[in-house]
mmCIF file of all heavy atoms in Angstrom:
data_model
loop_
_atom_site.group_PDB
_atom_site.id
_atom_site.type_symbol
_atom_site.label_atom_id
_atom_site.label_comp_id
_atom_site.label_asym_id
_atom_site.label_seq_id
_atom_site.Cartn_x
_atom_site.Cartn_y
_atom_site.Cartn_z
ATOM 1 N N ALA K 56 34.586 -29.658 31.463
ATOM 2 C CA ALA K 56 34.289 -30.937 30.789
ATOM 3 C C ALA K 56 35.528 -31.699 30.346
ATOM 4 O O ALA K 56 35.477 -32.923 30.214
ATOM 5 C CB ALA K 56 33.381 -30.688 29.587
ATOM 6 N N PHE K 57 36.629 -31.010 30.091
ATOM 7 C CA PHE K 57 37.758 -31.689 29.455
ATOM 8 C C PHE K 57 38.681 -32.343 30.484
ATOM 9 O O PHE K 57 39.360 -33.305 30.165
ATOM 10 C CB PHE K 57 38.601 -30.711 28.598
ATOM 11 C CG PHE K 57 37.817 -30.013 27.504
ATOM 12 C CD1 PHE K 57 38.317 -28.870 26.910
ATOM 13 C CD2 PHE K 57 36.579 -30.501 27.068
ATOM 14 C CE1 PHE K 57 37.618 -28.216 25.889
ATOM 15 C CE2 PHE K 57 35.874 -29.855 26.061
ATOM 16 C CZ PHE K 57 36.394 -28.712 25.479
ATOM 17 N N LYS K 58 38.716 -31.795 31.717
ATOM 18 C CA LYS K 58 39.647 -32.332 32.723
ATOM 19 C C LYS K 58 39.293 -33.779 33.001
ATOM 20 O O LYS K 58 38.176 -34.092 33.397
ATOM 21 C CB LYS K 58 39.603 -31.500 34.003
ATOM 22 C CG LYS K 58 40.719 -31.854 34.959
ATOM 23 C CD LYS K 58 40.859 -30.851 36.076
ATOM 24 C CE LYS K 58 42.232 -30.228 36.036
ATOM 25 N NZ LYS K 58 42.377 -29.130 36.995
ATOM 26 N N GLY K 59 40.260 -34.662 32.780
ATOM 27 C CA GLY K 59 40.034 -36.086 33.037
ATOM 28 C C GLY K 59 39.430 -36.827 31.861
ATOM 29 O O GLY K 59 39.366 -38.054 31.853
ATOM 30 N N TYR K 60 38.997 -36.069 30.828
ATOM 31 C CA TYR K 60 38.447 -36.720 29.636
ATOM 32 C C TYR K 60 39.591 -37.378 28.876
ATOM 33 O O TYR K 60 40.539 -36.682 28.485
ATOM 34 C CB TYR K 60 37.726 -35.684 28.766
ATOM 35 C CG TYR K 60 37.007 -36.263 27.576
ATOM 36 C CD1 TYR K 60 35.672 -36.659 27.666
ATOM 37 C CD2 TYR K 60 37.677 -36.449 26.370
ATOM 38 C CE1 TYR K 60 35.016 -37.191 26.578
ATOM 39 C CE2 TYR K 60 37.032 -36.983 25.278
ATOM 40 C CZ TYR K 60 35.705 -37.371 25.385
ATOM 41 O OH TYR K 60 35.056 -37.911 24.306
ATOM 42 N N SER K 61 39.539 -38.697 28.731
ATOM 43 C CA SER K 61 40.699 -39.454 28.172
ATOM 44 C C SER K 61 41.993 -39.079 28.888
ATOM 45 O O SER K 61 43.047 -38.993 28.272
ATOM 46 C CB SER K 61 40.882 -39.165 26.673
ATOM 47 O OG SER K 61 39.735 -39.527 25.961
ATOM 48 N N ASP K 62 41.872 -38.782 30.200
ATOM 49 C CA ASP K 62 43.024 -38.394 31.033
ATOM 50 C C ASP K 62 43.657 -37.069 30.649
ATOM 51 O O ASP K 62 44.805 -36.808 31.001
ATOM 52 C CB ASP K 62 44.105 -39.501 31.029
ATOM 53 C CG ASP K 62 43.614 -40.756 31.745
ATOM 54 O OD1 ASP K 62 42.806 -40.626 32.684
ATOM 55 O OD2 ASP K 62 44.055 -41.854 31.358
ATOM 56 N N TYR K 63 42.908 -36.201 29.942
ATOM 57 C CA TYR K 63 43.462 -34.858 29.662
ATOM 58 C C TYR K 63 43.675 -34.136 30.986
ATOM 59 O O TYR K 63 42.784 -34.118 31.837
ATOM 60 C CB TYR K 63 42.493 -34.059 28.759
ATOM 61 C CG TYR K 63 43.057 -32.714 28.384
ATOM 62 C CD1 TYR K 63 44.133 -32.612 27.496
ATOM 63 C CD2 TYR K 63 42.563 -31.538 28.943
ATOM 64 C CE1 TYR K 63 44.676 -31.382 27.181
ATOM 65 C CE2 TYR K 63 43.106 -30.300 28.618
ATOM 66 C CZ TYR K 63 44.151 -30.228 27.737
ATOM 67 O OH TYR K 63 44.696 -29.008 27.418
ATOM 68 N N PRO K 64 44.875 -33.545 31.187
ATOM 69 C CA PRO K 64 45.184 -32.993 32.521
ATOM 70 C C PRO K 64 44.664 -31.595 32.824
ATOM 71 O O PRO K 64 44.683 -31.170 33.971
ATOM 72 C CB PRO K 64 46.716 -33.023 32.553
ATOM 73 C CG PRO K 64 47.141 -32.982 31.129
ATOM 74 C CD PRO K 64 46.042 -33.575 30.296
ATOM 75 N N GLY K 65 44.234 -30.844 31.814
ATOM 76 C CA GLY K 65 43.798 -29.455 32.052
ATOM 77 C C GLY K 65 42.295 -29.307 31.934
ATOM 78 O O GLY K 65 41.577 -30.264 31.623
ATOM 79 N N SER K 66 41.830 -28.056 32.177
ATOM 80 C CA SER K 66 40.412 -27.748 31.956
ATOM 81 C C SER K 66 40.204 -27.130 30.580
ATOM 82 O O SER K 66 39.134 -27.248 29.980
ATOM 83 C CB SER K 66 39.898 -26.791 33.014
ATOM 84 O OG SER K 66 39.804 -27.463 34.244
ATOM 85 N N VAL K 67 41.231 -26.420 30.107
ATOM 86 C CA VAL K 67 41.170 -25.723 28.805
ATOM 87 C C VAL K 67 42.212 -26.357 27.894
ATOM 88 O O VAL K 67 43.275 -26.784 28.359
ATOM 89 C CB VAL K 67 41.479 -24.219 28.986
ATOM 90 C CG1 VAL K 67 41.448 -23.488 27.647
ATOM 91 C CG2 VAL K 67 40.519 -23.587 29.979
ATOM 92 N N CYS K 68 41.926 -26.415 26.593
ATOM 93 C CA CYS K 68 42.916 -26.797 25.609
ATOM 94 C C CYS K 68 43.426 -25.517 24.927
ATOM 95 O O CYS K 68 42.613 -24.722 24.427
ATOM 96 C CB CYS K 68 42.335 -27.713 24.542
ATOM 97 S SG CYS K 68 41.762 -29.312 25.166
ATOM 98 N N VAL K 76 45.662 -27.789 18.207
ATOM 99 C CA VAL K 76 44.703 -27.959 19.307
ATOM 100 C C VAL K 76 45.368 -28.740 20.444
ATOM 101 O O VAL K 76 46.469 -29.287 20.273
ATOM 102 C CB VAL K 76 43.428 -28.763 18.880
ATOM 103 C CG1 VAL K 76 42.466 -27.936 18.054
ATOM 104 C CG2 VAL K 76 43.791 -30.065 18.186
ATOM 105 N N HIS K 77 44.673 -28.802 21.611
ATOM 106 C CA HIS K 77 44.984 -29.726 22.708
ATOM 107 C C HIS K 77 46.321 -29.463 23.402
ATOM 108 O O HIS K 77 46.921 -30.402 23.945
ATOM 109 C CB HIS K 77 44.931 -31.202 22.228
ATOM 110 C CG HIS K 77 43.609 -31.609 21.669
ATOM 111 N ND1 HIS K 77 43.431 -32.753 20.935
ATOM 112 C CD2 HIS K 77 42.374 -31.035 21.762
ATOM 113 C CE1 HIS K 77 42.154 -32.856 20.579
ATOM 114 N NE2 HIS K 77 41.496 -31.830 21.059
ATOM 115 N N ASP K 95 40.097 -23.408 23.900
ATOM 116 C CA ASP K 95 38.988 -24.330 23.682
ATOM 117 C C ASP K 95 38.508 -24.788 25.057
ATOM 118 O O ASP K 95 39.277 -25.334 25.856
ATOM 119 C CB ASP K 95 39.506 -25.520 22.853
ATOM 120 C CG ASP K 95 38.419 -26.498 22.459
ATOM 121 O OD1 ASP K 95 37.270 -26.377 22.922
ATOM 122 O OD2 ASP K 95 38.735 -27.413 21.677
ATOM 123 N N PHE K 96 37.204 -24.550 25.357
ATOM 124 C CA PHE K 96 36.688 -24.843 26.696
ATOM 125 C C PHE K 96 35.310 -25.476 26.592
ATOM 126 O O PHE K 96 34.532 -25.153 25.698
ATOM 127 C CB PHE K 96 36.629 -23.548 27.510
ATOM 128 C CG PHE K 96 36.278 -23.744 28.973
ATOM 129 C CD1 PHE K 96 37.014 -24.636 29.752
ATOM 130 C CD2 PHE K 96 35.241 -23.040 29.560
ATOM 131 C CE1 PHE K 96 36.701 -24.838 31.108
ATOM 132 C CE2 PHE K 96 34.934 -23.211 30.901
ATOM 133 C CZ PHE K 96 35.673 -24.106 31.669
ATOM 134 N N GLY K 97 35.033 -26.386 27.527
ATOM 135 C CA GLY K 97 33.720 -27.007 27.589
ATOM 136 C C GLY K 97 33.330 -27.219 29.030
ATOM 137 O O GLY K 97 34.188 -27.340 29.911
ATOM 138 N N ASP K 106 30.414 -26.557 24.343
ATOM 139 C CA ASP K 106 31.800 -26.637 23.856
ATOM 140 C C ASP K 106 32.033 -25.513 22.853
ATOM 141 O O ASP K 106 31.207 -25.333 21.920
ATOM 142 C CB ASP K 106 31.967 -28.014 23.179
ATOM 143 C CG ASP K 106 33.372 -28.338 22.738
ATOM 144 O OD1 ASP K 106 34.321 -27.609 23.069
ATOM 145 O OD2 ASP K 106 33.524 -29.384 22.038
ATOM 146 N N SER K 107 33.090 -24.737 23.043
ATOM 147 C CA SER K 107 33.362 -23.643 22.108
ATOM 148 C C SER K 107 34.841 -23.295 22.141
ATOM 149 O O SER K 107 35.527 -23.559 23.136
ATOM 150 C CB SER K 107 32.546 -22.404 22.513
ATOM 151 O OG SER K 107 32.703 -21.345 21.591
ATOM 152 N N ALA K 108 35.325 -22.742 21.049
ATOM 153 C CA ALA K 108 36.736 -22.317 20.979
ATOM 154 C C ALA K 108 36.856 -21.014 20.210
ATOM 155 O O ALA K 108 36.073 -20.734 19.290
ATOM 156 C CB ALA K 108 37.576 -23.395 20.312
ATOM 157 N N PHE K 166 41.328 -33.984 12.791
ATOM 158 C CA PHE K 166 40.334 -33.737 13.841
ATOM 159 C C PHE K 166 39.078 -33.203 13.183
ATOM 160 O O PHE K 166 39.153 -32.486 12.178
ATOM 161 C CB PHE K 166 40.835 -32.711 14.849
ATOM 162 C CG PHE K 166 42.078 -33.124 15.588
ATOM 163 C CD1 PHE K 166 43.288 -32.554 15.286
ATOM 164 C CD2 PHE K 166 42.029 -34.085 16.588
ATOM 165 C CE1 PHE K 166 44.450 -32.926 15.965
ATOM 166 C CE2 PHE K 166 43.169 -34.472 17.274
ATOM 167 C CZ PHE K 166 44.390 -33.884 16.958
ATOM 168 N N VAL K 167 37.940 -33.551 13.781
ATOM 169 C CA VAL K 167 36.654 -33.133 13.214
ATOM 170 C C VAL K 167 35.749 -32.637 14.330
ATOM 171 O O VAL K 167 36.022 -32.867 15.514
ATOM 172 C CB VAL K 167 35.979 -34.313 12.462
ATOM 173 C CG1 VAL K 167 36.778 -34.718 11.252
ATOM 174 C CG2 VAL K 167 35.735 -35.496 13.384
ATOM 175 N N GLY K 168 34.668 -31.965 13.956
ATOM 176 C CA GLY K 168 33.626 -31.611 14.913
ATOM 177 C C GLY K 168 32.770 -32.837 15.218
ATOM 178 O O GLY K 168 33.040 -33.939 14.743
ATOM 179 N N HIS K 169 31.701 -32.618 16.008
ATOM 180 C CA HIS K 169 30.988 -33.767 16.580
ATOM 181 C C HIS K 169 29.595 -33.384 17.052
ATOM 182 O O HIS K 169 29.350 -32.229 17.415
ATOM 183 C CB HIS K 169 31.803 -34.291 17.780
ATOM 184 C CG HIS K 169 32.253 -33.204 18.729
ATOM 185 N ND1 HIS K 169 31.542 -32.865 19.841
ATOM 186 C CD2 HIS K 169 33.305 -32.343 18.692
ATOM 187 C CE1 HIS K 169 32.151 -31.860 20.470
ATOM 188 N NE2 HIS K 169 33.226 -31.515 19.786
ATOM 189 N N ILE K 171 26.896 -33.359 20.013
ATOM 190 C CA ILE K 171 27.141 -33.062 21.431
ATOM 191 C C ILE K 171 25.809 -33.042 22.170
ATOM 192 O O ILE K 171 24.782 -32.696 21.574
ATOM 193 C CB ILE K 171 27.923 -31.722 21.564
ATOM 194 C CG1 ILE K 171 28.178 -31.374 23.035
ATOM 195 C CG2 ILE K 171 27.183 -30.563 20.847
ATOM 196 C CD1 ILE K 171 29.165 -30.208 23.220
ATOM 197 N N LEU K 175 30.192 -35.458 25.437
ATOM 198 C CA LEU K 175 30.983 -34.440 24.718
ATOM 199 C C LEU K 175 31.032 -34.779 23.240
ATOM 200 O O LEU K 175 30.931 -33.901 22.387
ATOM 201 C CB LEU K 175 32.399 -34.373 25.302
ATOM 202 C CG LEU K 175 33.380 -33.405 24.624
ATOM 203 C CD1 LEU K 175 32.833 -31.967 24.635
ATOM 204 C CD2 LEU K 175 34.747 -33.471 25.300
ATOM 205 N N HIS K 176 31.229 -36.045 22.936
ATOM 206 C CA HIS K 176 31.341 -36.469 21.546
ATOM 207 C C HIS K 176 30.240 -37.474 21.221
ATOM 208 O O HIS K 176 30.217 -38.567 21.775
ATOM 209 C CB HIS K 176 32.724 -37.100 21.281
ATOM 210 C CG HIS K 176 33.826 -36.132 21.456
ATOM 211 N ND1 HIS K 176 35.005 -36.443 22.106
ATOM 212 C CD2 HIS K 176 33.955 -34.846 21.082
ATOM 213 C CE1 HIS K 176 35.794 -35.381 22.120
ATOM 214 N NE2 HIS K 176 35.186 -34.390 21.505
ATOM 215 N N ALA K 204 28.786 -29.670 17.369
ATOM 216 C CA ALA K 204 29.897 -28.742 17.592
ATOM 217 C C ALA K 204 30.682 -28.693 16.289
ATOM 218 O O ALA K 204 31.210 -29.718 15.837
ATOM 219 C CB ALA K 204 30.766 -29.220 18.736
ATOM 220 N N GLU K 206 33.837 -27.171 14.301
ATOM 221 C CA GLU K 206 35.118 -26.613 14.782
ATOM 222 C C GLU K 206 36.247 -26.706 13.760
ATOM 223 O O GLU K 206 37.136 -27.549 13.889
ATOM 224 C CB GLU K 206 35.532 -27.267 16.102
ATOM 225 C CG GLU K 206 35.475 -28.766 16.201
ATOM 226 C CD GLU K 206 35.967 -29.244 17.587
ATOM 227 O OE1 GLU K 206 36.936 -28.696 18.102
ATOM 228 O OE2 GLU K 206 35.355 -30.166 18.124
ATOM 229 N N TRP K 223 49.491 -35.111 23.674
ATOM 230 C CA TRP K 223 48.296 -34.278 23.444
ATOM 231 C C TRP K 223 48.481 -33.197 22.382
ATOM 232 O O TRP K 223 47.666 -33.083 21.475
ATOM 233 C CB TRP K 223 47.833 -33.600 24.754
ATOM 234 C CG TRP K 223 47.057 -34.524 25.599
ATOM 235 C CD1 TRP K 223 47.500 -35.188 26.715
ATOM 236 C CD2 TRP K 223 45.691 -34.937 25.414
ATOM 237 N NE1 TRP K 223 46.489 -35.979 27.219
ATOM 238 C CE2 TRP K 223 45.385 -35.835 26.450
ATOM 239 C CE3 TRP K 223 44.704 -34.623 24.476
ATOM 240 C CZ2 TRP K 223 44.114 -36.425 26.559
ATOM 241 C CZ3 TRP K 223 43.451 -35.211 24.588
ATOM 242 C CH2 TRP K 223 43.171 -36.100 25.620
ATOM 243 N N HIS K 235 41.751 -22.000 15.233
ATOM 244 C CA HIS K 235 40.636 -22.884 15.578
ATOM 245 C C HIS K 235 39.496 -22.064 16.165
ATOM 246 O O HIS K 235 39.734 -21.287 17.104
ATOM 247 C CB HIS K 235 41.140 -23.914 16.616
ATOM 248 C CG HIS K 235 40.134 -24.878 17.147
ATOM 249 N ND1 HIS K 235 40.198 -25.368 18.426
ATOM 250 C CD2 HIS K 235 39.068 -25.478 16.578
ATOM 251 C CE1 HIS K 235 39.190 -26.228 18.613
ATOM 252 N NE2 HIS K 235 38.496 -26.305 17.518
ATOM 253 N N GLU K 237 35.222 -22.639 17.313
ATOM 254 C CA GLU K 237 34.196 -23.673 17.490
ATOM 255 C C GLU K 237 32.929 -23.085 18.117
ATOM 256 O O GLU K 237 33.020 -22.278 19.036
ATOM 257 C CB GLU K 237 34.735 -24.787 18.425
ATOM 258 C CG GLU K 237 33.719 -25.857 18.803
ATOM 259 C CD GLU K 237 34.316 -26.983 19.662
ATOM 260 O OE1 GLU K 237 35.353 -26.752 20.301
ATOM 261 O OE2 GLU K 237 33.725 -28.073 19.665
HETATM 262 N N1 MF3 J 1 36.801 -29.163 21.845
HETATM 263 C C1 MF3 J 1 37.607 -30.353 21.871
HETATM 264 C C2 MF3 J 1 36.755 -31.479 21.333
HETATM 265 O O1 MF3 J 1 35.644 -31.239 21.045
HETATM 266 C C3 MF3 J 1 38.203 -30.551 23.186
HETATM 267 C C4 MF3 J 1 38.176 -31.891 23.805
HETATM 268 S S1 MF3 J 1 39.732 -32.420 24.044
HETATM 269 C C5 MF3 J 1 39.835 -33.166 25.544
HETATM 270 O O2 MF3 J 1 37.174 -32.566 21.112
HETATM 271 F F1 MF3 J 1 40.759 -32.586 26.169
HETATM 272 F F2 MF3 J 1 38.736 -33.036 26.205
HETATM 273 F F3 MF3 J 1 40.067 -34.429 25.365
#
Side-chain angles (χ1 to χ4, degrees):
F57 302 162
K58 191 168 240 173
Y60 186 91
S61 300
D62 293 329
Y63 184 70
S66 289
V67 179
C68 296
V76 283
H77 301 165
D95 185 352
F96 187 53
D106 186 9
S107 184
F166 298 106
V167 294
H169 48 94
I171 180 169
L175 177 58
H176 296 137
E206 48 178 320
W223 280 102
H235 177 212
E237 174 177 23

